[in-house]
Amino acid sequence: MFSGPPADPAAPTMQASGVPSAVPLVGETGEISGLSERASGAASARRSWTAPLLLGAAGTLALLIALFGPGLMARGTGELRIPGAGLTTVLRTVLFAALALHLGELLAPQLIRPVRGRPRTAVRSWAVLASLAGAAAAAGQIVRLAAVSDLGITETYGTREGGLLLLIANGLGVAALCAASRRPALALAPLAVVIGAEALRAHPEAYSPEFGAALTVVHLTAASLWTGGLLYVLRTMWLWRGSPVAARALLGRYARLAIWLYVALAVTGTASALRRLPLDVVFTSAYGRTLLLKLVLMAVVSVLALAARRRMLRDTDPSVAHRLARREQVVLGLVVVVSAVLTVVPDPHWISLRP
């Protein structure tokens, strides 16, 4: 029945062409699997180091922009130097970030609740720490104002800007207490007071300050909800990475809301720019240069947001859309810093030649 002796199990098998087949042995299989495990481990280690390095680089860049941005933007414009402009920018960046984090935590759970099949895990709240940091930043601005004005703290409270900063600090303190309570949604009231006070503080000019403050209220609210809401959604998606369907649904709900927030930002931002920036000093004033930088960053944010939405609609796996949205979040952080610079640089009307 057999035409030859039984084959040796240890000998390589021969194909019809007479070439030994590349069937790995038992030991070789173990070596190959070990090599692939080491390669995947090295790739995971690289990924684990990449994110902190990128975040550290973005944070360093943001700090440098805050400290040196006002001076660089005003170079060669002939405008008056603002005392302590770098420190003021840092403090206002912290204040804006605190508003975004707290409002985002109040918004995002409303997007999470209707998601079907979602995991029951939730991210840790940062609202208390954010509001306390914002209150400290407002208090720091009061101290800086007292120092540059050569006034006592009590006397500084009596000035327009000092009184509004005191209201902002107290409002954020109350918001932190609300966030730590069993009814965190109560923080909406003090946060609304904070936004209103900041809008009034940002518009001391004589020309239609009420209209400018109203635009700032809408703009600051929309920007805070967009930035803070996206951060909370991204943190939740990372926590839900084992449930891609729920994560994709959550990102989709946020994307639909973000469209309207973007429209509100575009309309109010355009109106504010046309109202405050004379066309003859767009390139020769610190305000105009800073606004142009903000527009460039917003264009990058728009491209990243559209790319994330396209991948979310096309792919069932939300990992690529999540990665694009993380990049959008980083650029949005830089937009917050540049917006803080915009509130510190001088009013461009002072150097405009228009009547």
Side-chain angles (χ1 to χ4, degrees), residues 96-106 126-127 129-131 224 227-229 231-232 235:
F96 293 160
L99 277 174
L101 284 171
H102 203 149
L103 284 175
E105 288 202 9
L106 292 174
W126 292 349
L129 293 177
S131 289
S224 299
T227 307
L231 178 60
Y232 197 94
R235 292 174 62 205

PDB file of all heavy atoms in Angstrom, residues 96-106 126-127 129-131 224 227-229 231-232 235:
ATOM      1  N   PHE A  96     -10.206  81.379  31.659  1.00  0.00           N
ATOM      2  CA  PHE A  96     -10.984  80.862  30.523  1.00  0.00           C
ATOM      3  C   PHE A  96     -11.015  79.335  30.521  1.00  0.00           C
ATOM      4  O   PHE A  96     -12.048  78.725  30.217  1.00  0.00           O
ATOM      5  CB  PHE A  96     -10.391  81.375  29.208  1.00  0.00           C
ATOM      6  CG  PHE A  96     -10.529  82.859  29.010  1.00  0.00           C
ATOM      7  CD1 PHE A  96      -9.709  83.533  28.117  1.00  0.00           C
ATOM      8  CD2 PHE A  96     -11.468  83.585  29.715  1.00  0.00           C
ATOM      9  CE1 PHE A  96      -9.832  84.899  27.928  1.00  0.00           C
ATOM     10  CE2 PHE A  96     -11.599  84.962  29.537  1.00  0.00           C
ATOM     11  CZ  PHE A  96     -10.775  85.612  28.642  1.00  0.00           C
ATOM     12  N   ALA A  97      -9.882  78.712  30.849  1.00  0.00           N
ATOM     13  CA  ALA A  97      -9.843  77.244  30.904  1.00  0.00           C
ATOM     14  C   ALA A  97     -10.761  76.717  32.004  1.00  0.00           C
ATOM     15  O   ALA A  97     -11.427  75.678  31.829  1.00  0.00           O
ATOM     16  CB  ALA A  97      -8.410  76.774  31.137  1.00  0.00           C
ATOM     17  N   ALA A  98     -10.812  77.410  33.143  1.00  0.00           N
ATOM     18  CA  ALA A  98     -11.697  76.989  34.232  1.00  0.00           C
ATOM     19  C   ALA A  98     -13.156  77.040  33.804  1.00  0.00           C
ATOM     20  O   ALA A  98     -13.941  76.118  34.079  1.00  0.00           O
ATOM     21  CB  ALA A  98     -11.457  77.870  35.454  1.00  0.00           C
ATOM     22  N   LEU A  99     -13.542  78.121  33.130  1.00  0.00           N
ATOM     23  CA  LEU A  99     -14.911  78.219  32.619  1.00  0.00           C
ATOM     24  C   LEU A  99     -15.228  77.080  31.648  1.00  0.00           C
ATOM     25  O   LEU A  99     -16.302  76.469  31.703  1.00  0.00           O
ATOM     26  CB  LEU A  99     -15.112  79.564  31.928  1.00  0.00           C
ATOM     27  CG  LEU A  99     -15.442  80.772  32.805  1.00  0.00           C
ATOM     28  CD1 LEU A  99     -15.456  82.045  31.965  1.00  0.00           C
ATOM     29  CD2 LEU A  99     -16.782  80.577  33.496  1.00  0.00           C
ATOM     30  N   ALA A 100     -14.292  76.807  30.749  1.00  0.00           N
ATOM     31  CA  ALA A 100     -14.514  75.753  29.759  1.00  0.00           C
ATOM     32  C   ALA A 100     -14.664  74.384  30.426  1.00  0.00           C
ATOM     33  O   ALA A 100     -15.573  73.615  30.088  1.00  0.00           O
ATOM     34  CB  ALA A 100     -13.366  75.731  28.749  1.00  0.00           C
ATOM     35  N   LEU A 101     -13.790  74.074  31.371  1.00  0.00           N
ATOM     36  CA  LEU A 101     -13.855  72.774  32.029  1.00  0.00           C
ATOM     37  C   LEU A 101     -15.169  72.604  32.782  1.00  0.00           C
ATOM     38  O   LEU A 101     -15.815  71.547  32.718  1.00  0.00           O
ATOM     39  CB  LEU A 101     -12.671  72.623  32.982  1.00  0.00           C
ATOM     40  CG  LEU A 101     -11.320  72.335  32.346  1.00  0.00           C
ATOM     41  CD1 LEU A 101     -10.204  72.433  33.374  1.00  0.00           C
ATOM     42  CD2 LEU A 101     -11.315  70.957  31.699  1.00  0.00           C
ATOM     43  N   HIS A 102     -15.573  73.639  33.518  1.00  0.00           N
ATOM     44  CA  HIS A 102     -16.786  73.496  34.331  1.00  0.00           C
ATOM     45  C   HIS A 102     -18.041  73.444  33.461  1.00  0.00           C
ATOM     46  O   HIS A 102     -18.911  72.587  33.654  1.00  0.00           O
ATOM     47  CB  HIS A 102     -16.880  74.641  35.335  1.00  0.00           C
ATOM     48  CG  HIS A 102     -17.721  74.298  36.524  1.00  0.00           C
ATOM     49  ND1 HIS A 102     -17.505  74.798  37.777  1.00  0.00           N
ATOM     50  CD2 HIS A 102     -18.787  73.471  36.662  1.00  0.00           C
ATOM     51  CE1 HIS A 102     -18.390  74.312  38.616  1.00  0.00           C
ATOM     52  NE2 HIS A 102     -19.183  73.504  37.947  1.00  0.00           N
ATOM     53  N   LEU A 103     -18.147  74.345  32.489  1.00  0.00           N
ATOM     54  CA  LEU A 103     -19.315  74.314  31.619  1.00  0.00           C
ATOM     55  C   LEU A 103     -19.357  73.042  30.780  1.00  0.00           C
ATOM     56  O   LEU A 103     -20.436  72.497  30.518  1.00  0.00           O
ATOM     57  CB  LEU A 103     -19.311  75.548  30.709  1.00  0.00           C
ATOM     58  CG  LEU A 103     -19.726  76.867  31.362  1.00  0.00           C
ATOM     59  CD1 LEU A 103     -19.550  78.022  30.388  1.00  0.00           C
ATOM     60  CD2 LEU A 103     -21.164  76.807  31.854  1.00  0.00           C
ATOM     61  N   GLY A 104     -18.188  72.554  30.363  1.00  0.00           N
ATOM     62  CA  GLY A 104     -18.155  71.301  29.613  1.00  0.00           C
ATOM     63  C   GLY A 104     -18.659  70.133  30.427  1.00  0.00           C
ATOM     64  O   GLY A 104     -19.361  69.251  29.907  1.00  0.00           O
ATOM     65  N   GLU A 105     -18.345  70.106  31.715  1.00  0.00           N
ATOM     66  CA  GLU A 105     -18.827  69.019  32.571  1.00  0.00           C
ATOM     67  C   GLU A 105     -20.320  69.121  32.839  1.00  0.00           C
ATOM     68  O   GLU A 105     -20.964  68.117  33.171  1.00  0.00           O
ATOM     69  CB  GLU A 105     -18.058  69.017  33.887  1.00  0.00           C
ATOM     70  CG  GLU A 105     -16.629  68.545  33.744  1.00  0.00           C
ATOM     71  CD  GLU A 105     -16.035  68.045  35.048  1.00  0.00           C
ATOM     72  OE1 GLU A 105     -16.790  67.909  36.022  1.00  0.00           O
ATOM     73  OE2 GLU A 105     -14.821  67.792  35.074  1.00  0.00           O
ATOM     74  N   LEU A 106     -20.886  70.315  32.731  1.00  0.00           N
ATOM     75  CA  LEU A 106     -22.334  70.450  32.872  1.00  0.00           C
ATOM     76  C   LEU A 106     -23.059  70.082  31.583  1.00  0.00           C
ATOM     77  O   LEU A 106     -24.201  69.611  31.614  1.00  0.00           O
ATOM     78  CB  LEU A 106     -22.684  71.879  33.274  1.00  0.00           C
ATOM     79  CG  LEU A 106     -22.242  72.303  34.684  1.00  0.00           C
ATOM     80  CD1 LEU A 106     -22.528  73.786  34.898  1.00  0.00           C
ATOM     81  CD2 LEU A 106     -22.931  71.473  35.746  1.00  0.00           C
ATOM     82  N   TRP A 126     -13.530  67.241  37.182  1.00  0.00           N
ATOM     83  CA  TRP A 126     -12.485  68.237  37.412  1.00  0.00           C
ATOM     84  C   TRP A 126     -13.085  69.600  37.740  1.00  0.00           C
ATOM     85  O   TRP A 126     -12.353  70.598  37.840  1.00  0.00           O
ATOM     86  CB  TRP A 126     -11.603  68.379  36.165  1.00  0.00           C
ATOM     87  CG  TRP A 126     -10.764  67.170  35.858  1.00  0.00           C
ATOM     88  CD1 TRP A 126     -10.549  66.080  36.651  1.00  0.00           C
ATOM     89  CD2 TRP A 126     -10.014  66.933  34.657  1.00  0.00           C
ATOM     90  NE1 TRP A 126      -9.734  65.171  36.038  1.00  0.00           N
ATOM     91  CE2 TRP A 126      -9.381  65.677  34.801  1.00  0.00           C
ATOM     92  CE3 TRP A 126      -9.814  67.648  33.488  1.00  0.00           C
ATOM     93  CZ2 TRP A 126      -8.563  65.131  33.812  1.00  0.00           C
ATOM     94  CZ3 TRP A 126      -9.002  67.108  32.497  1.00  0.00           C
ATOM     95  CH2 TRP A 126      -8.383  65.868  32.663  1.00  0.00           C
ATOM     96  N   ALA A 127     -14.396  69.673  37.909  1.00  0.00           N
ATOM     97  CA  ALA A 127     -15.072  70.965  38.025  1.00  0.00           C
ATOM     98  C   ALA A 127     -14.644  71.734  39.266  1.00  0.00           C
ATOM     99  O   ALA A 127     -14.429  72.953  39.205  1.00  0.00           O
ATOM    100  CB  ALA A 127     -16.586  70.755  38.024  1.00  0.00           C
ATOM    101  N   LEU A 129     -11.823  71.571  41.097  1.00  0.00           N
ATOM    102  CA  LEU A 129     -10.457  72.083  40.971  1.00  0.00           C
ATOM    103  C   LEU A 129     -10.375  73.191  39.928  1.00  0.00           C
ATOM    104  O   LEU A 129      -9.660  74.186  40.116  1.00  0.00           O
ATOM    105  CB  LEU A 129      -9.503  70.946  40.608  1.00  0.00           C
ATOM    106  CG  LEU A 129      -9.291  69.867  41.682  1.00  0.00           C
ATOM    107  CD1 LEU A 129      -8.378  68.768  41.161  1.00  0.00           C
ATOM    108  CD2 LEU A 129      -8.707  70.482  42.950  1.00  0.00           C
ATOM    109  N   ALA A 130     -11.114  73.041  38.827  1.00  0.00           N
ATOM    110  CA  ALA A 130     -11.082  74.057  37.776  1.00  0.00           C
ATOM    111  C   ALA A 130     -11.626  75.385  38.288  1.00  0.00           C
ATOM    112  O   ALA A 130     -11.021  76.449  38.069  1.00  0.00           O
ATOM    113  CB  ALA A 130     -11.888  73.580  36.572  1.00  0.00           C
ATOM    114  N   SER A 131     -12.754  75.354  38.974  1.00  0.00           N
ATOM    115  CA  SER A 131     -13.343  76.595  39.462  1.00  0.00           C
ATOM    116  C   SER A 131     -12.476  77.235  40.538  1.00  0.00           C
ATOM    117  O   SER A 131     -12.361  78.469  40.596  1.00  0.00           O
ATOM    118  CB  SER A 131     -14.749  76.331  40.003  1.00  0.00           C
ATOM    119  OG  SER A 131     -15.635  76.046  38.932  1.00  0.00           O
ATOM    120  N   SER A 224     -16.593  78.177  25.506  1.00  0.00           N
ATOM    121  CA  SER A 224     -16.408  77.322  26.690  1.00  0.00           C
ATOM    122  C   SER A 224     -17.103  75.984  26.513  1.00  0.00           C
ATOM    123  O   SER A 224     -16.552  74.925  26.859  1.00  0.00           O
ATOM    124  CB  SER A 224     -16.933  78.041  27.932  1.00  0.00           C
ATOM    125  OG  SER A 224     -16.241  79.252  28.161  1.00  0.00           O
ATOM    126  N   THR A 227     -15.034  73.897  23.794  1.00  0.00           N
ATOM    127  CA  THR A 227     -13.743  73.402  24.266  1.00  0.00           C
ATOM    128  C   THR A 227     -13.908  72.429  25.428  1.00  0.00           C
ATOM    129  O   THR A 227     -13.350  71.324  25.420  1.00  0.00           O
ATOM    130  CB  THR A 227     -12.857  74.585  24.692  1.00  0.00           C
ATOM    131  OG1 THR A 227     -12.784  75.527  23.616  1.00  0.00           O
ATOM    132  CG2 THR A 227     -11.463  74.111  25.042  1.00  0.00           C
ATOM    133  N   GLY A 228     -14.663  72.836  26.439  1.00  0.00           N
ATOM    134  CA  GLY A 228     -14.841  71.963  27.601  1.00  0.00           C
ATOM    135  C   GLY A 228     -15.663  70.727  27.303  1.00  0.00           C
ATOM    136  O   GLY A 228     -15.378  69.640  27.817  1.00  0.00           O
ATOM    137  N   GLY A 229     -16.697  70.886  26.461  1.00  0.00           N
ATOM    138  CA  GLY A 229     -17.503  69.719  26.097  1.00  0.00           C
ATOM    139  C   GLY A 229     -16.704  68.694  25.319  1.00  0.00           C
ATOM    140  O   GLY A 229     -16.827  67.485  25.541  1.00  0.00           O
ATOM    141  N   LEU A 231     -13.454  68.167  25.485  1.00  0.00           N
ATOM    142  CA  LEU A 231     -12.530  67.494  26.397  1.00  0.00           C
ATOM    143  C   LEU A 231     -13.231  66.408  27.193  1.00  0.00           C
ATOM    144  O   LEU A 231     -12.712  65.284  27.335  1.00  0.00           O
ATOM    145  CB  LEU A 231     -11.897  68.515  27.339  1.00  0.00           C
ATOM    146  CG  LEU A 231     -10.931  67.941  28.382  1.00  0.00           C
ATOM    147  CD1 LEU A 231      -9.761  67.234  27.709  1.00  0.00           C
ATOM    148  CD2 LEU A 231     -10.430  69.038  29.310  1.00  0.00           C
ATOM    149  N   TYR A 232     -14.413  66.699  27.692  1.00  0.00           N
ATOM    150  CA  TYR A 232     -15.150  65.694  28.472  1.00  0.00           C
ATOM    151  C   TYR A 232     -15.552  64.511  27.589  1.00  0.00           C
ATOM    152  O   TYR A 232     -15.471  63.349  28.019  1.00  0.00           O
ATOM    153  CB  TYR A 232     -16.385  66.333  29.093  1.00  0.00           C
ATOM    154  CG  TYR A 232     -17.000  65.527  30.219  1.00  0.00           C
ATOM    155  CD1 TYR A 232     -16.659  65.775  31.536  1.00  0.00           C
ATOM    156  CD2 TYR A 232     -17.918  64.517  29.954  1.00  0.00           C
ATOM    157  CE1 TYR A 232     -17.221  65.044  32.571  1.00  0.00           C
ATOM    158  CE2 TYR A 232     -18.486  63.778  30.972  1.00  0.00           C
ATOM    159  CZ  TYR A 232     -18.126  64.048  32.282  1.00  0.00           C
ATOM    160  OH  TYR A 232     -18.687  63.301  33.286  1.00  0.00           O
ATOM    161  N   ARG A 235     -12.441  62.336  26.953  1.00  0.00           N
ATOM    162  CA  ARG A 235     -12.113  61.551  28.143  1.00  0.00           C
ATOM    163  C   ARG A 235     -13.076  60.370  28.290  1.00  0.00           C
ATOM    164  O   ARG A 235     -12.672  59.252  28.645  1.00  0.00           O
ATOM    165  CB  ARG A 235     -12.174  62.428  29.392  1.00  0.00           C
ATOM    166  CG  ARG A 235     -11.099  63.499  29.472  1.00  0.00           C
ATOM    167  CD  ARG A 235     -11.341  64.403  30.667  1.00  0.00           C
ATOM    168  NE  ARG A 235     -11.266  63.644  31.913  1.00  0.00           N
ATOM    169  CZ  ARG A 235     -11.870  64.014  33.031  1.00  0.00           C
ATOM    170  NH1 ARG A 235     -12.616  65.114  33.063  1.00  0.00           N
ATOM    171  NH2 ARG A 235     -11.747  63.278  34.119  1.00  0.00           N
TER     172      ARG A 235
END
